[in-house]
Amino acid sequence: MLDHITLHVIDIERSIAFYEKALAPLGYIAKAHHEPTIGFGVNDGTSHSDFYVSPMDDTTTSPVTHIAFLAPNREAVQAFYQAALAAGGRDNGAPGPRPYHPSYYSAFVLDPDGNNIEAVVDWSGWFEKR
């Protein structure tokens, strides 16, 4: 299980605006403000964030990263996909079943920096057990 992920981005303001809109259907909000780094997490009344965006420094380049966000159902996957495209993301796989595992349903978008962002229904049933 991951505690948090930090994604280094080229344009921090553009990325914050993108993720605020794209992750809203999954229940994520901007909550940890370590300027200029911003942490996102579920709206649970705590300051815990598990996904951060932080600006790259002048000496690094942006590798393409893949991050999968857990969605509670297929409708949330579809809402994520639409919100991400409306926020400026690019299609990288419309919502639908995938051959990875039984009941695996996801959507992929590329964020403003070309990172591959996925929303997935938890095929293992873990989400329902929490």
PDB file of all heavy atoms in Angstrom, residues 35-57:
ATOM      1  N   GLU A  35       3.761  25.082   0.091  1.00  0.00           N
ATOM      2  CA  GLU A  35       4.067  25.898  -1.085  1.00  0.00           C
ATOM      3  C   GLU A  35       5.525  25.741  -1.512  1.00  0.00           C
ATOM      4  O   GLU A  35       6.405  25.772  -0.665  1.00  0.00           O
ATOM      5  CB  GLU A  35       3.765  27.365  -0.805  1.00  0.00           C
ATOM      6  CG  GLU A  35       2.341  27.634  -0.356  1.00  0.00           C
ATOM      7  CD  GLU A  35       1.283  27.270  -1.383  1.00  0.00           C
ATOM      8  OE1 GLU A  35       1.595  27.216  -2.585  1.00  0.00           O
ATOM      9  OE2 GLU A  35       0.146  27.025  -0.978  1.00  0.00           O
ATOM     10  N   PRO A  36       5.762  25.514  -2.800  1.00  0.00           N
ATOM     11  CA  PRO A  36       4.785  25.489  -3.875  1.00  0.00           C
ATOM     12  C   PRO A  36       4.175  24.104  -4.093  1.00  0.00           C
ATOM     13  O   PRO A  36       3.355  23.927  -4.980  1.00  0.00           O
ATOM     14  CB  PRO A  36       5.595  25.922  -5.090  1.00  0.00           C
ATOM     15  CG  PRO A  36       6.955  25.367  -4.828  1.00  0.00           C
ATOM     16  CD  PRO A  36       7.134  25.475  -3.324  1.00  0.00           C
ATOM     17  N   THR A  37       4.564  23.114  -3.291  1.00  0.00           N
ATOM     18  CA  THR A  37       4.008  21.768  -3.412  1.00  0.00           C
ATOM     19  C   THR A  37       2.611  21.727  -2.792  1.00  0.00           C
ATOM     20  O   THR A  37       2.383  22.290  -1.726  1.00  0.00           O
ATOM     21  CB  THR A  37       4.929  20.745  -2.715  1.00  0.00           C
ATOM     22  OG1 THR A  37       6.201  20.758  -3.375  1.00  0.00           O
ATOM     23  CG2 THR A  37       4.352  19.348  -2.755  1.00  0.00           C
ATOM     24  N   ILE A  38       1.692  21.050  -3.482  1.00  0.00           N
ATOM     25  CA  ILE A  38       0.318  20.914  -2.995  1.00  0.00           C
ATOM     26  C   ILE A  38      -0.003  19.425  -2.899  1.00  0.00           C
ATOM     27  O   ILE A  38       0.267  18.658  -3.825  1.00  0.00           O
ATOM     28  CB  ILE A  38      -0.693  21.598  -3.945  1.00  0.00           C
ATOM     29  CG1 ILE A  38      -0.397  23.091  -4.071  1.00  0.00           C
ATOM     30  CG2 ILE A  38      -2.131  21.357  -3.485  1.00  0.00           C
ATOM     31  CD1 ILE A  38      -0.564  23.887  -2.793  1.00  0.00           C
ATOM     32  N   GLY A  39      -0.602  19.042  -1.771  1.00  0.00           N
ATOM     33  CA  GLY A  39      -1.010  17.657  -1.569  1.00  0.00           C
ATOM     34  C   GLY A  39      -2.502  17.493  -1.761  1.00  0.00           C
ATOM     35  O   GLY A  39      -3.289  18.348  -1.346  1.00  0.00           O
ATOM     36  N   PHE A  40      -2.889  16.406  -2.385  1.00  0.00           N
ATOM     37  CA  PHE A  40      -4.295  16.067  -2.593  1.00  0.00           C
ATOM     38  C   PHE A  40      -4.615  14.801  -1.809  1.00  0.00           C
ATOM     39  O   PHE A  40      -3.776  13.911  -1.667  1.00  0.00           O
ATOM     40  CB  PHE A  40      -4.574  15.802  -4.083  1.00  0.00           C
ATOM     41  CG  PHE A  40      -4.464  17.021  -4.942  1.00  0.00           C
ATOM     42  CD1 PHE A  40      -3.239  17.443  -5.425  1.00  0.00           C
ATOM     43  CD2 PHE A  40      -5.600  17.750  -5.274  1.00  0.00           C
ATOM     44  CE1 PHE A  40      -3.141  18.565  -6.226  1.00  0.00           C
ATOM     45  CE2 PHE A  40      -5.509  18.876  -6.079  1.00  0.00           C
ATOM     46  CZ  PHE A  40      -4.282  19.291  -6.552  1.00  0.00           C
ATOM     47  N   GLY A  41      -5.832  14.721  -1.333  1.00  0.00           N
ATOM     48  CA  GLY A  41      -6.293  13.528  -0.631  1.00  0.00           C
ATOM     49  C   GLY A  41      -7.799  13.562  -0.522  1.00  0.00           C
ATOM     50  O   GLY A  41      -8.446  14.534  -0.915  1.00  0.00           O
ATOM     51  N   VAL A  42      -8.351  12.497   0.054  1.00  0.00           N
ATOM     52  CA  VAL A  42      -9.795  12.453   0.224  1.00  0.00           C
ATOM     53  C   VAL A  42     -10.214  13.448   1.299  1.00  0.00           C
ATOM     54  O   VAL A  42      -9.469  13.749   2.220  1.00  0.00           O
ATOM     55  CB  VAL A  42     -10.296  11.033   0.570  1.00  0.00           C
ATOM     56  CG1 VAL A  42     -10.033  10.081  -0.587  1.00  0.00           C
ATOM     57  CG2 VAL A  42      -9.669  10.524   1.840  1.00  0.00           C
ATOM     58  N   ASN A  43     -11.427  13.952   1.151  1.00  0.00           N
ATOM     59  CA  ASN A  43     -11.958  14.941   2.079  1.00  0.00           C
ATOM     60  C   ASN A  43     -12.446  14.224   3.332  1.00  0.00           C
ATOM     61  O   ASN A  43     -13.621  13.940   3.491  1.00  0.00           O
ATOM     62  CB  ASN A  43     -13.093  15.722   1.408  1.00  0.00           C
ATOM     63  CG  ASN A  43     -13.539  16.899   2.236  1.00  0.00           C
ATOM     64  OD1 ASN A  43     -12.954  17.209   3.267  1.00  0.00           O
ATOM     65  ND2 ASN A  43     -14.582  17.561   1.786  1.00  0.00           N
ATOM     66  N   ASP A  44     -11.497  13.926   4.254  1.00  0.00           N
ATOM     67  CA  ASP A  44     -11.817  13.146   5.453  1.00  0.00           C
ATOM     68  C   ASP A  44     -11.621  13.941   6.741  1.00  0.00           C
ATOM     69  O   ASP A  44     -11.615  13.374   7.826  1.00  0.00           O
ATOM     70  CB  ASP A  44     -10.984  11.870   5.490  1.00  0.00           C
ATOM     71  CG  ASP A  44      -9.489  12.140   5.533  1.00  0.00           C
ATOM     72  OD1 ASP A  44      -9.064  13.318   5.567  1.00  0.00           O
ATOM     73  OD2 ASP A  44      -8.715  11.162   5.525  1.00  0.00           O
ATOM     74  N   GLY A  45     -11.432  15.252   6.633  1.00  0.00           N
ATOM     75  CA  GLY A  45     -11.263  16.078   7.817  1.00  0.00           C
ATOM     76  C   GLY A  45      -9.852  16.108   8.377  1.00  0.00           C
ATOM     77  O   GLY A  45      -9.602  16.769   9.380  1.00  0.00           O
ATOM     78  N   THR A  46      -8.925  15.396   7.739  1.00  0.00           N
ATOM     79  CA  THR A  46      -7.533  15.415   8.193  1.00  0.00           C
ATOM     80  C   THR A  46      -6.691  16.167   7.165  1.00  0.00           C
ATOM     81  O   THR A  46      -7.160  16.475   6.067  1.00  0.00           O
ATOM     82  CB  THR A  46      -6.956  13.990   8.338  1.00  0.00           C
ATOM     83  OG1 THR A  46      -6.730  13.440   7.032  1.00  0.00           O
ATOM     84  CG2 THR A  46      -7.889  13.094   9.141  1.00  0.00           C
ATOM     85  N   SER A  47      -5.437  16.406   7.516  1.00  0.00           N
ATOM     86  CA  SER A  47      -4.538  17.050   6.553  1.00  0.00           C
ATOM     87  C   SER A  47      -3.745  16.026   5.746  1.00  0.00           C
ATOM     88  O   SER A  47      -2.932  16.391   4.909  1.00  0.00           O
ATOM     89  CB  SER A  47      -3.575  17.991   7.282  1.00  0.00           C
ATOM     90  OG  SER A  47      -2.794  17.245   8.204  1.00  0.00           O
ATOM     91  N   HIS A  48      -3.980  14.722   5.982  1.00  0.00           N
ATOM     92  CA  HIS A  48      -3.229  13.685   5.261  1.00  0.00           C
ATOM     93  C   HIS A  48      -3.524  13.739   3.767  1.00  0.00           C
ATOM     94  O   HIS A  48      -4.673  13.729   3.339  1.00  0.00           O
ATOM     95  CB  HIS A  48      -3.559  12.292   5.786  1.00  0.00           C
ATOM     96  CG  HIS A  48      -2.853  11.219   5.022  1.00  0.00           C
ATOM     97  ND1 HIS A  48      -1.512  10.968   5.195  1.00  0.00           N
ATOM     98  CD2 HIS A  48      -3.277  10.367   4.069  1.00  0.00           C
ATOM     99  CE1 HIS A  48      -1.147   9.995   4.380  1.00  0.00           C
ATOM    100  NE2 HIS A  48      -2.198   9.615   3.680  1.00  0.00           N
ATOM    101  N   SER A  49      -2.468  13.787   3.002  1.00  0.00           N
ATOM    102  CA  SER A  49      -2.549  13.747   1.538  1.00  0.00           C
ATOM    103  C   SER A  49      -1.739  12.560   1.059  1.00  0.00           C
ATOM    104  O   SER A  49      -0.717  12.218   1.647  1.00  0.00           O
ATOM    105  CB  SER A  49      -1.986  15.035   0.937  1.00  0.00           C
ATOM    106  OG  SER A  49      -2.739  16.146   1.362  1.00  0.00           O
ATOM    107  N   ASP A  50      -2.186  11.938  -0.024  1.00  0.00           N
ATOM    108  CA  ASP A  50      -1.417  10.819  -0.555  1.00  0.00           C
ATOM    109  C   ASP A  50      -0.910  11.059  -1.969  1.00  0.00           C
ATOM    110  O   ASP A  50      -0.204  10.238  -2.517  1.00  0.00           O
ATOM    111  CB  ASP A  50      -2.191   9.506  -0.478  1.00  0.00           C
ATOM    112  CG  ASP A  50      -3.585   9.579  -1.078  1.00  0.00           C
ATOM    113  OD1 ASP A  50      -3.855  10.507  -1.870  1.00  0.00           O
ATOM    114  OD2 ASP A  50      -4.397   8.714  -0.762  1.00  0.00           O
ATOM    115  N   PHE A  51      -1.240  12.209  -2.536  1.00  0.00           N
ATOM    116  CA  PHE A  51      -0.772  12.549  -3.875  1.00  0.00           C
ATOM    117  C   PHE A  51      -0.360  14.018  -3.881  1.00  0.00           C
ATOM    118  O   PHE A  51      -1.150  14.897  -3.542  1.00  0.00           O
ATOM    119  CB  PHE A  51      -1.881  12.307  -4.898  1.00  0.00           C
ATOM    120  CG  PHE A  51      -1.537  12.759  -6.289  1.00  0.00           C
ATOM    121  CD1 PHE A  51      -0.512  12.145  -6.992  1.00  0.00           C
ATOM    122  CD2 PHE A  51      -2.219  13.793  -6.891  1.00  0.00           C
ATOM    123  CE1 PHE A  51      -0.178  12.564  -8.280  1.00  0.00           C
ATOM    124  CE2 PHE A  51      -1.899  14.217  -8.173  1.00  0.00           C
ATOM    125  CZ  PHE A  51      -0.880  13.595  -8.866  1.00  0.00           C
ATOM    126  N   TYR A  52       0.897  14.276  -4.224  1.00  0.00           N
ATOM    127  CA  TYR A  52       1.437  15.627  -4.231  1.00  0.00           C
ATOM    128  C   TYR A  52       1.915  16.003  -5.625  1.00  0.00           C
ATOM    129  O   TYR A  52       2.446  15.158  -6.348  1.00  0.00           O
ATOM    130  CB  TYR A  52       2.647  15.729  -3.283  1.00  0.00           C
ATOM    131  CG  TYR A  52       2.290  15.557  -1.839  1.00  0.00           C
ATOM    132  CD1 TYR A  52       2.142  14.296  -1.279  1.00  0.00           C
ATOM    133  CD2 TYR A  52       2.106  16.669  -1.024  1.00  0.00           C
ATOM    134  CE1 TYR A  52       1.818  14.143   0.057  1.00  0.00           C
ATOM    135  CE2 TYR A  52       1.785  16.524   0.322  1.00  0.00           C
ATOM    136  CZ  TYR A  52       1.644  15.256   0.851  1.00  0.00           C
ATOM    137  OH  TYR A  52       1.318  15.107   2.171  1.00  0.00           O
ATOM    138  N   VAL A  53       1.750  17.272  -5.970  1.00  0.00           N
ATOM    139  CA  VAL A  53       2.384  17.814  -7.168  1.00  0.00           C
ATOM    140  C   VAL A  53       3.373  18.873  -6.712  1.00  0.00           C
ATOM    141  O   VAL A  53       3.084  19.677  -5.828  1.00  0.00           O
ATOM    142  CB  VAL A  53       1.381  18.372  -8.203  1.00  0.00           C
ATOM    143  CG1 VAL A  53       0.578  17.265  -8.833  1.00  0.00           C
ATOM    144  CG2 VAL A  53       0.471  19.407  -7.603  1.00  0.00           C
ATOM    145  N   SER A  54       4.548  18.818  -7.304  1.00  0.00           N
ATOM    146  CA  SER A  54       5.633  19.703  -6.912  1.00  0.00           C
ATOM    147  C   SER A  54       6.368  20.154  -8.166  1.00  0.00           C
ATOM    148  O   SER A  54       6.556  19.361  -9.091  1.00  0.00           O
ATOM    149  CB  SER A  54       6.594  18.943  -5.988  1.00  0.00           C
ATOM    150  OG  SER A  54       7.599  19.780  -5.492  1.00  0.00           O
ATOM    151  N   PRO A  55       6.792  21.420  -8.204  1.00  0.00           N
ATOM    152  CA  PRO A  55       7.497  21.875  -9.403  1.00  0.00           C
ATOM    153  C   PRO A  55       8.869  21.221  -9.537  1.00  0.00           C
ATOM    154  O   PRO A  55       9.535  20.952  -8.538  1.00  0.00           O
ATOM    155  CB  PRO A  55       7.615  23.380  -9.205  1.00  0.00           C
ATOM    156  CG  PRO A  55       7.490  23.601  -7.754  1.00  0.00           C
ATOM    157  CD  PRO A  55       6.655  22.475  -7.211  1.00  0.00           C
ATOM    158  N   MET A  56       9.247  20.952 -10.786  1.00  0.00           N
ATOM    159  CA  MET A  56      10.592  20.430 -11.056  1.00  0.00           C
ATOM    160  C   MET A  56      11.585  21.560 -10.851  1.00  0.00           C
ATOM    161  O   MET A  56      11.262  22.729 -11.054  1.00  0.00           O
ATOM    162  CB  MET A  56      10.703  19.936 -12.499  1.00  0.00           C
ATOM    163  CG  MET A  56       9.868  18.734 -12.800  1.00  0.00           C
ATOM    164  SD  MET A  56      10.161  18.013 -14.426  1.00  0.00           S
ATOM    165  CE  MET A  56      10.509  19.384 -15.471  1.00  0.00           C
ATOM    166  N   ASP A  57      12.802  21.190 -10.475  1.00  0.00           N
ATOM    167  CA  ASP A  57      13.841  22.207 -10.443  1.00  0.00           C
ATOM    168  C   ASP A  57      14.490  22.288 -11.822  1.00  0.00           C
ATOM    169  O   ASP A  57      14.161  21.514 -12.721  1.00  0.00           O
ATOM    170  CB  ASP A  57      14.863  21.950  -9.333  1.00  0.00           C
ATOM    171  CG  ASP A  57      15.638  20.659  -9.522  1.00  0.00           C
ATOM    172  OD1 ASP A  57      15.938  20.292 -10.676  1.00  0.00           O
ATOM    173  OD2 ASP A  57      15.959  20.015  -8.505  1.00  0.00           O
TER     174      ASP A  57
END
